[in-house]
Amino acid sequence: MIHRFILSAVLPLTFLMSPNGCQPEYVNNSRIYAEGKIIASNTPNIPVKLFADDILISETQTDASGNFKLGGPGTTKEKSLVLNRKIVAFSSNDPECRLAYDSLSIILPAKNIAFKFPQIQLEP
């Protein structure tokens, strides 16, 4: 009986005090931010998503002018800004941003946490 009590009291405490063993690879509560302007024939309500691997970090929709802002927890890996529409061209504050092979997203490098896209041009 005493043995069972000790296990039921100590086991939860050791689990709670363990150092983040099961959490994703977030770096000291770091954040990632992305903002920009989409140029297309129909700019309002275009879905914009921010992914790290297959994990959705943040999502939003463009306003009537095609602007968007989103942010979320950062990781130590590359992120993807997904638009699910063909990207014809874009400009960025980080020269290491690149278009994904399918042209549906922009790959964001791991070393930076704030990204500005003055212009993202989508296929009509």
Side-chain angles (χ1 to χ4, degrees):
M1 178 85 154
I2 293 175
H3 186 271
R4 198 176 282 168
F5 173 74
I6 291 173
L7 275 177
S8 66
V10 173
L11 188 60
L13 286 175
T14 55
F15 177 73
L16 291 174
M17 296 176 69
S18 66
N20 301 333
C22 297
Q23 292 193 6
E25 196 179 330
Y26 297 119
V27 183
N28 298 330
N29 294 326
S30 66
R31 305 284 293 168
I32 179 169
Y33 303 97
E35 65 179 85
K37 181 173 181 71
I38 293 178
I39 298 172
S41 57
N42 188 14
T43 56
N45 302 321
I46 296 173
V48 182
K49 298 178 182 180
L50 188 59
F51 282 92
D53 289 328
D54 293 333
I55 300 170
L56 179 64
I57 294 175
S58 182
E59 64 182 325
T60 190
Q61 291 184 342
T62 56
D63 63 13
S65 301
N67 297 313
F68 67 90
K69 291 182 183 180
L70 39 77
T75 67
T76 59
K77 299 179 181 178
E78 290 183 334
K79 278 72 68 185
S80 298
L81 185 68
V82 179
L83 300 171
N84 285 332
R85 289 181 57 186
K86 274 286 197 218
I87 301 167
V88 176
F90 72 93
S91 58
S92 172
N93 67 326
D94 189 328
E96 292 185 28
C97 290
R98 65 186 192 281
L99 201 57
Y101 71 93
D102 58 4
S103 299
L104 298 176
S105 62
I106 300 170
I107 309 299
L108 312 177
K111 67 177 183 110
N112 200 349
I113 60 168
F115 299 91
K116 291 188 180 184
F117 297 95
Q119 180 179 353
I120 300 175
Q121 184 178 354
L122 301 180
E123 194 172 72

